[in-house]
Every structure is written in C-alpha cells, then in structure tokens.
Amino acid sequence: MQRIGKAGFALLALIAMMFALATPAAAGVPIPCASERTIKVHDVGVGVSDGMTVYLGYKYTHCIRGAWIGYVDSTTYVPLRDEDAALALAQASGLSALPAPPWRLWHPRAFWVEWLWAALGLFGLAGSLSAPARRNQTEAGELTT
C-alpha cells in the first residue's frame, strides 16, 4: 500500500477542516451531521386543540445529542421540557413507558445525507484499495510481454 505523502495529508486536512467549519448553506452541498433530524417514534398520536396531531418523536442535533419531542411532521415539532413531559405524551398515545431512543442509522430517510456520504466513502475506499492491485497487474503484464 502506498504512503499518502505530505501533499495527500494536506489535502485530507483541508477537506476535514472544510467539513468542520462549513454549514450546508455555505457549502452548497449537504453535509453529514450538520442539522437537526426528527424521527416519529410512535404511530399513535394525540390530538391537540388546533386540530393538529402530535406524536412521540425524537430529535437528533448534529447526530450526537438527542431529545424527546412532540413530532408533528418532518420539519415541525413541539419541544418537550423534560423526560416527564415525554412520558406523559407517550402514555397519552397508548404506551406504558418511554421506548428506547431510536437508533439513527435505522432511519435512512431522515439520515439520507449520512448514508450517501458513507456509500461514497466506501466506493472511494474500494477504488483506492483496488488501484495498486490493478497497477501491479499492469506492470506484471508489461514485464512478461
């Protein structure tokens, strides 16, 4: 396997810094873990006074922190003040206790950007691992002819 070298390392550092400092709007491309993602946890909701239905949901902020919410739709939610409020919403919708928080990777619709970048990374890794093998095969073929 080849060494990256100083230029390759500098390029990787620049790309990492761009991801760390950029926002999706500034970059013009979706950036993994750069926004809030809401997930509906339970399909039975509670009707509220203005005709809206609120479901038990979970909000991930930057793929790290999570909090229980009242889920209305993928862009609208009601913040819950604490876990007791989440438990009250869960019990009103028919659950006896709060379920475990949803695992973010099982929700590819909400985390499509992360799935896309993971797939691109795997293709890049596969390509970089197969390039030396192809190069060695070509060099061996040139030597034997």
Side-chain angles (χ1 to χ4, degrees), residues 40 53 59 103:
K40 182 166 60 167
T53 302
K59 175 186 75 167
W103 192 45

Side-chain angles (χ1 to χ4, degrees), residues 26-132:
V29 295
I31 297 174
C33 296
S35 63
E36 293 180 345
R37 308 290 164 77
T38 58
I39 300 168
K40 182 166 60 167
V41 175
H42 189 56
D43 288 329
V44 177
V46 176
V48 292
S49 59
D50 59 359
M52 201 169 49
T53 302
V54 178
Y55 303 90
L56 180 64
Y58 202 78
K59 175 186 75 167
Y60 280 103
T61 305
H62 303 293
C63 292
I64 300 170
R65 293 185 308 266
W68 291 105
I69 58 167
Y71 180 96
V72 177
D73 61 42
S74 63
T75 58
T76 309
Y77 63 89
V78 178
L80 300 175
R81 66 182 179 280
D82 56 19
E83 203 165 288
D84 290 337
L87 179 60
L89 178 59
Q91 289 173 339
S93 63
L95 297 173
S96 59
L98 278 175
W103 192 45
R104 64 187 70 80
L105 293 181
W106 289 124
H107 298 278
R109 185 175 292 169
F111 289 92
W112 68 271
V113 173
E114 290 74 13
W115 282 92
L116 173 69
W117 281 95
L120 291 173
L122 287 175
F123 284 126
L125 180 63
S128 67
L129 291 176
S130 66

